Amino acid sequence: MAALAGVVAAAVVLAVAELIGAFFTTRATPLFALGSTFIDFTPPGLKDFAIATFGTNDKAALFVGMGLTIAVLACVLGVVAYRKWALGVLGVLFMGAVIVACVVTRAGVGPADAIPSILGTLAGLVVLRRLMVPLWGLKAWPEAPADTAADGEDMVGSDGTSRRRFFTAAGVTAVAAGVAATGGRLLGAARSNVAKAREALRLPSPAQPAAPVPSGVQSPVAGVTPWLTPNSEFYRIDTALSVPEINVDDWELRVHGLVEQEVRLTFQDLLDARLIESHVTLTCVSNPVGGNLAGNAKWLGLPIREVLARAKPKDGADMVLSTSIDGFSASTPLEVLQDDRDAMLAIGMNGEPLPLEHGYPVRMVVPGLYGFVSATKWVVDLEVTRFADNKAYWTNRGWSERGPIKTMARVDVPKSFAKVPAGKVAVGGTAWAQTRGITKVEIQIDNGEWAEATLSTEASTVTWRQWSYEWDATPGPHYIKVRATDGTGEVQTDQRADPVPDGASGWQSVMVTVQ
Ligand SMILES: Nc1nc2c(c(=O)[nH]1)N[C@H]1C(S)=C(S)[C@@H](COP(=O)(O)O)O[C@H]1N2
Ligand SMILES: [Mo]
């Protein structure tokens, strides 16, 4: 029962902070601050494991894991408080201090944002005390400290009534905490008008529209991923537990560092600029062989080379460190942002303002590089610097400082472990080697000869290219292997590599049973 009291008190801490936090713009409440801090300290192997295991559900998995951890700690604190109240109080205050430390060290969060967590912790202490009093009165626990039981709060007739009273109080408090937490989330969301502002935002048409998409980019095989990924299906990977909410009027990009001329850009400057539109396939470095952490969209934005031309990088600079409002950063080679590829400060995705979770109002999109070294969402700062002087978020956590995308072919149909009828089986998928392009995709059944798949039309070298293959399937278990050749003539390596530190490699092999 003491453990249960601890859990209920912990729920009160989180819920009260969530409710009060709804009135703070950063909404850096305990669960989100703890989770974000945990993410920042996640060893690279664990991040890799989490993404490989849970994919884009990694955040839900983190919340479940955190919930269980907090519950266990709360059980322990509950029992400690029951045995020695003063020690319990110390424990709760310590946890409160940890929470506050996590909150105030988040990027863009001020000391005042500690208020919800402090009030939450105090409310948790009060509830813990209220629940302990009837427990201390229980005679069934001989070790119950006699002195604490007699401190004047209205006491207990019999063990039966105190137990009933305890469980009622615990239950009612738990339900109230649930309502407060949910209410806090909803209230916070309702108070934010960023989503509404996004809905109302009208994007200008590009001065340079995207090259028209040729017909035949889509693989004819049913079930192959759509060539253009709808925003709602676009993979999402980031360290942001709660999506940053930025008002376009508050947004400003500062370009500084090793430059002749510091540049500041407002959102209006972007709207007024000569924007371009371009199809680019984004890929995540954490994508395992055969994985789906890649998506293709039409981006609208301002070429970064034009911004850099105004800032005039100094000699010796070789990197641009882009930083988001929530403290993520990426190191992108300066020359990649200056060459003629369409690296941009993007404000539009598939004809709409960027969705909040994809970086609203402004993100970077850089063809040819994995997202962790280039695709900074909610970007607010570009520092022209040197690789020797600065390290980006994931580089500090064991990942590479550079991340050109590796050539990769993927089978979408049939799925792994599918059962298919014998005869003609349609095999299809996609392949990418951004900036080099895909010139060949080959299929190998079991250990047979490599056979060329039919390539769909190429839209550009920075978008993925789909393919199809007709397989004459004989009954039994079979392996379908796939590999691509890029525009430089290089065949995708069969050397298996894990995503850490600079991207997975190897050939995908799909097991199917032909009936
Ligand atoms: N602010 C911010 N930007 C970020 C990240 C992040 O964690 N925070 N993750 C990067 C990574 S690892 C990838 S793969 C891409 C994913 O972009 P998407 O979520 O729009 O697909 O965003 C990049 N930009
Ligand atoms: Mo990524």
Side-chain angles (χ1 to χ4, degrees), residues 47 51 235 237-238 283-287 293 370-373 394:
K47 179 230 182 196
I51 290 180
Y235 81 95
I237 292 290
D238 54 58
T283 312
C284 180
V285 70
S286 297
N287 193 49
L293 299 178
Y370 288 120
F372 82 117
V373 290
W394 285 114

Side-chain angles (χ1 to χ4, degrees), residues 234-239 284 324 328 358 363 371 375 377-378:
F234 207 96
Y235 81 95
R236 173 187 169 199
I237 292 290
D238 54 58
T239 61
C284 180
S324 68
F328 167 89
H358 292 291
R363 74 173 303 168
K377 305 190 268 189
W378 316 290

Side-chain angles (χ1 to χ4, degrees), residues 74 278 299 313 347 433:
S278 176
W299 307 96
I347 61 172

Side-chain angles (χ1 to χ4, degrees), residues 24-29 40 102-114 244-246 323-328 378 380:
F24 288 69
T25 41
T26 59
R27 285 198 272 143
T29 50
D40 288 350
C102 288
V103 168
V104 297
T105 50
R106 301 310 306 158
V109 169
D113 290 290
E245 297 187 356
I246 306 177
T323 306
S324 68
I325 198 159
D326 64 338
F328 167 89
W378 316 290
V380 291

Side-chain angles (χ1 to χ4, degrees), residues 51-52 55 225 235 282-284 286-295 408-412 430 432 464 496 499 504 506 508-510:
I51 290 180
T225 192
Y235 81 95
L282 284 194
T283 312
C284 180
S286 297
N287 193 49
V289 172
N292 54 13
L293 299 178
M408 184 59 64
R410 184 179 83 195
V411 179
D412 289 347
T430 188
W432 59 79
W464 56 19
R496 277 258 160 192
Q508 188 190 0
S509 178
V510 174

Side-chain angles (χ1 to χ4, degrees), residues 67-80:
L68 292 176
T69 311
I70 291 172
V72 169
L73 282 175
C75 287
V76 173
L77 271 182
V79 173
V80 169

